[in-house]
Amino acid sequence: MKCLVTGAAGFIGSKVSERLCAAGHEVVGTRIIMLLNKGMK
């Protein structure tokens, strides 16, 4: 099965990805970086 893991760079996402791979699944991971500028409204 093909799986998409969002947040794959984090602790939980990486552990989920490892387990899915170990179970024989094809894993694609994404990482979303949100940059917040306090000066912008």
Side-chain angles (χ1 to χ4, degrees), residues 37-41:
N37 185 344
K38 293 180 182 180
M40 296 181 68
K41 292 185 179 185

Side-chain angles (χ1 to χ4, degrees), residues 1-40:
M1 176 188 307
K2 293 181 181 181
C3 303
L4 172 65
V5 178
T6 60
F11 179 77
I12 295 172
S14 66
K15 298 301 178 191
V16 169
S17 297
E18 287 175 7
R19 288 205 171 191
L20 288 169
C21 285
H25 300 291
E26 182 180 342
V27 178
V28 174
T30 64
R31 178 179 179 196
I32 299 171
I33 300 173
M34 295 180 67
L35 300 175
L36 301 176
N37 185 344
K38 293 180 182 180
M40 296 181 68

